[in-house]
Amino acid sequence: MAAGVGFRSHKSLLIILLGFLGLFSFTVEADTKKYQFDIQVKNVSRLCHAKPIVTVNGRFPGPTIYVREGDRVLVNVTNHAKYNMSIHWHGIKQYRNGWADGPAYITQCPIQTGNSYTYDFNVTGQRGTLWWHAHIFWLRATVYGAIVIMPKPGTPFPFPQPARELEILLGEWWHKDVEEIETQGNQMGLPPNMSDAHTINGKPGPLFPCSEKHTFAMEVEQGKTYLLRIINAALDDELFFAIAGHNLTVVEVDAVYTKPFTTQAILIAPGQTTNVLVKANQVAGRYFMATRTFMDAPIPVDSNAATAIFQYKGIPNTVLPSLPSLPAANDTRFALSYNKKLRSLNTPRYPANVPLKVDRNLFYTIGLAKNSCPTCVNGSRLLASLNNVSFVMPQTALLQAHYFNIKGVYRTDFPDKPSTAFNYTGAPLTANLGTSIGTRISKVPFNSTVELVLQDTNLLTVESHPFHLHGYNFFVVGTGIGNFDPAKDPAKYNLVDPIERNTVGVPTGGWTAIRFRADNPGVWFMHCHLELHTGWGLKTAFLVEDGPGQDQSVVPPPKDLPAC
């Protein structure tokens, strides 16, 4: 009898406990994560040089934001630096909430020195690795950090659970102040100086002078599997990444799960993220992780490899690490082959909802040109353009102008195709084909489907270009070398499991086709994520109109929105 009573008591206690756990789970799912970002200048030393840099909370790189799918995020940014500041939450879709997207003069005016602004957004339907960075001038050279979005409680990864996870942020370092370098380049009408080193988690590694203590190292245990969340935060370089003696299994890009595949190295463009699994299954020792530039055009780049250390537990630091065999700097074949392997997982839980019917076909040519500049050293300066339109940043944020119906800030006549057709990737051309300068964007009806073909050209030179679309993911349905053929190439599209992402590389002398559904109202920036080209005008925006439904229009702006 006593045993029966004891059993019933334990059963009742268990029910109560489960009830509490259920309540706890609900609370976790509806959590609000709060962060304070203090923009401040700090002296930092690299490569035997010390200089003041702009940081968040005195850290380089800045702090990681950890959230779960479904969380609300509040980040209060207080600007103590001399530069105006805005922060972009790269890859967060910001549904109806462009006020939290962050690109200066597109969705907000920058946060003035001494002022604060709270970014308030929800993480809905996304999980994986994204990142945040300054979105004004060249300040993202040092102002950046990771965003880690964990799945909802009780939802496992669609790949083996790793023993540990680490963020790997690839970046660049200049001896001089980056804003001075950019200004000097603009005054001369020439590209500014390339970086002095690449970095892994802010550190160049021991192959550079004065850098023994500026080396990132991760300790691993024999037989265990690790998840590396890799982010390319570099301003201007596509990068290879590899670990000596170890294979990498790609399982996610841009916070979208992929069909897993194994490779010795990855290629990652500025703005992109890639999650890989790596198993510590080699002879216990010390192995270099390394990153180096990919550039298959005749353009000078920083070709030195930055390194970090993949170190097995118990191995002394005196053991010399071995270097990985990275692809050659101009290995186009590897780049094309690697990107072709990227496919969406496309399962019932994680479907690839590719638009099959297209309402609007866009064709944008990417070009470089020289314009007259009497004050520049050579009497000219470089411009970059889409469809021969070089974008000029407004003085009033586009989203504010749209929402409050402020006239004269922008025009909605950005051309759907170039005004002049030519042999885009043929013999080098130096003509600028009448490049115009202005703030011109495209108006897109709500919920319409868009196909955009981005075509590189040989105006001055061919070059690869990573393009980022704010507010959306898109499907990369096709890519190729040479000129896009509208009669033949669409037949080769992958409309079953194309990779879904927010930043895509247009290959050197080639084209890329993307599709998306315009179901997020607002004004959304699209630009090359090479900061050099963005500054030259390689950018535009989409004005996605409000829908007819109650929850299909831009939400009202926050009260503390920075003034222009």
Side-chain angles (χ1 to χ4, degrees):
M1 190 75 173
V5 171
F7 173 77
R8 284 196 297 271
S9 299
H10 284 300
K11 186 177 179 181
S12 300
L13 186 61
L14 181 62
I15 291 171
I16 293 169
L17 182 60
L18 288 172
F20 274 119
L21 287 174
L23 181 63
F24 176 74
S25 296
F26 174 81
T27 304
V28 169
E29 288 186 28
D31 205 0
T32 297
K33 300 293 174 59
K34 296 182 179 180
Y35 288 86
Q36 174 63 39
F37 276 19
D38 287 310
I39 310 298
Q40 52 194 210
V41 174
K42 181 182 178 182
N43 278 322
V44 172
S45 176
R46 298 287 187 273
L47 279 67
C48 315
H49 292 261
K51 70 169 186 177
I53 65 170
V54 182
T55 69
V56 170
N57 300 347
R59 295 168 60 178
F60 170 62
T64 297
I65 288 182
Y66 295 98
V67 298
R68 280 196 182 275
E69 180 184 352
D71 283 351
R72 179 186 180 191
V73 183
L74 298 172
V75 187
N76 184 65
V77 178
T78 302
N79 187 7
H80 303 283
K82 67 178 181 178
Y83 300 105
N84 296 337
M85 177 60 65
S86 72
I87 303 288
H88 170 50
W89 316 95
H90 187 115
I92 299 290
K93 293 180 183 177
Q94 307 288 11
Y95 184 66
R96 304 170 55 217
N97 185 33
W99 312 110
D101 191 43
Y105 300 108
I106 304 297
T107 60
Q108 68 167 95
C109 287
I111 306 165
Q112 306 289 317
T113 302
N115 290 355
S116 296
Y117 176 53
T118 299
Y119 291 92
D120 183 349
F121 56 90
N122 296 316
V123 180
T124 305
Q126 293 182 276
R127 80 293 307 163
T129 305
L130 295 172
W131 66 302
W132 58 265
H133 59 82
H135 211 300
I136 183 169
F137 311 126
W138 276 31
L139 293 175
R140 75 175 174 90
T142 57
V143 180
Y144 62 84
I147 302 174
V148 174
I149 308 170
M150 297 300 293
K152 290 182 178 180
T155 303
F157 295 134
F159 48 80
Q161 180 71 27
R164 190 182 169 202
E165 305 173 24
L166 291 101
E167 297 91 51
I168 303 290
L169 293 101
L170 311 177
E172 291 167 290
W173 177 264
W174 280 263
H175 290 324
K176 294 183 179 179
D177 181 275
V178 290
E179 291 304 306
E180 291 179 8
I181 291 171
E182 182 195 17
T183 301
Q184 182 183 33
N186 289 336
Q187 289 173 346
M188 295 180 68
L190 298 170
N193 294 339
M194 69 184 75
S195 58
D196 294 293
H198 288 103
T199 58
I200 298 177
N201 288 347
K203 300 174 180 180
L207 302 185
F208 288 88
C210 306
S211 296
E212 278 292 336
K213 66 177 181 178
H214 297 306
T215 301
F216 173 74
M218 62 175 287
E219 186 179 79
V220 299
E221 294 185 45
Q222 186 69 249
K224 291 188 176 181
T225 299
Y226 298 83
L227 179 68
L228 303 185
R229 300 175 177 271
I230 305 167
I231 298 165
N232 186 348
L235 286 186
D236 293 311
D237 290 333
E238 292 186 75
L239 296 168
F240 295 117
F241 175 87
I243 303 177
H246 294 74
N247 287 329
L248 308 174
T249 300
V250 177
V251 293
E252 178 205 304
V253 298
D254 292 2
V256 175
Y257 295 133
T258 66
K259 287 183 170 66
F261 68 92
T262 299
T263 179
Q264 289 186 323
I266 68 166
L267 176 64
I268 183 167
Q272 293 181 337
T273 70
T274 304
N275 282 9
V276 301
L277 294 173
V278 56
K279 190 166 186 178
N281 58 2
Q282 299 300 305
V283 175
R286 301 175 81 223
Y287 298 84
F288 271 132
M289 299 183 274
T291 186
R292 188 177 62 201
T293 302
F294 164 63
M295 172 55 74
D296 58 352
I299 295 171
V301 293
D302 174 7
S303 58
N304 294 317
T307 54
I309 297 175
F310 190 81
Q311 180 163 338
Y312 283 70
K313 188 174 182 179
I315 300 299
N317 292 343
T318 53
V319 174
L320 190 67
S322 55
L323 274 166
S325 179
L326 290 165
N330 61 351
D331 195 338
T332 305
R333 180 179 295 181
F334 176 91
L336 294 173
S337 172
Y338 174 83
N339 284 321
K340 193 174 181 180
K341 293 174 185 174
L342 293 170
R343 301 290 182 94
S344 289
L345 197 55
N346 195 21
T347 62
R349 182 186 283 270
Y350 306 108
N353 296 317
V354 190
L356 301 180
K357 174 181 171 291
V358 175
D359 299 318
R360 180 95 167 266
N361 286 95
L362 305 176
F363 183 78
Y364 289 0
T365 53
I366 304 163
L368 300 177
K370 288 184 179 179
N371 260 27
S372 175
C373 176
T375 60
C376 296
V377 172
N378 295 327
S380 65
R381 67 184 180 95
L382 289 165
L383 284 180
S385 64
L386 288 168
N387 283 353
N388 301 105
V389 178
S390 187
F391 188 88
V392 175
M393 297 299 283
Q395 294 303 302
T396 299
L398 296 181
L399 181 59
Q400 289 173 273
H402 164 60
Y403 187 86
F404 294 108
N405 198 26
I406 303 171
K407 304 297 184 184
V409 176
Y410 60 85
R411 292 161 48 185
T412 56
D413 61 347
F414 188 88
D416 286 4
K417 60 182 180 180
S419 57
T420 304
F422 60 98
N423 182 4
Y424 305 115
T425 56
L429 296 170
T430 55
N432 66 15
L433 300 178
T435 300
S436 65
I437 301 172
T439 309
R440 300 168 66 185
I441 65 179
S442 291
K443 184 182 287 188
V444 181
F446 179 81
N447 212 36
S448 60
T449 54
V450 178
E451 178 177 306
L452 168 60
V453 176
L454 291 159
Q455 172 74 62
D456 189 30
T457 71
N458 206 359
L459 288 166
L460 296 188
T461 181
V462 289
E463 188 177 349
S464 60
H465 300 272
F467 268 84
H468 173 46
L469 176 59
H470 291 227
Y472 288 90
N473 280 356
F474 48 74
F475 291 95
V476 184
V477 295
T479 191
I481 298 299
N483 297 340
F484 174 74
D485 187 338
K488 296 180 180 178
D489 287 326
K492 306 171 194 171
Y493 283 176
N494 175 10
L495 300 178
V496 177
D497 61 352
I499 196 62
E500 179 185 350
R501 59 189 325 163
N502 62 60
T503 306
V504 66
V506 179
T508 301
W511 57 270
T512 293
I514 66 173
R515 287 186 182 182
F516 64 95
R517 180 175 295 279
D519 57 2
N520 190 4
V523 181
W524 303 104
F525 205 23
M526 190 191 76
H527 60 97
C528 179
H529 222 275
L530 302 179
E531 203 63 36
L532 186 64
H533 293 169
T534 300
W536 290 347
L538 195 49
K539 51 199 173 187
T540 185
F542 291 106
L543 192 168
V544 179
E545 297 177 298
D546 288 346
Q550 184 177 1
D551 296 326
Q552 296 177 347
S553 58
V554 177
V555 300
K559 293 180 180 179
D560 64 341
L561 190 69
C564 293

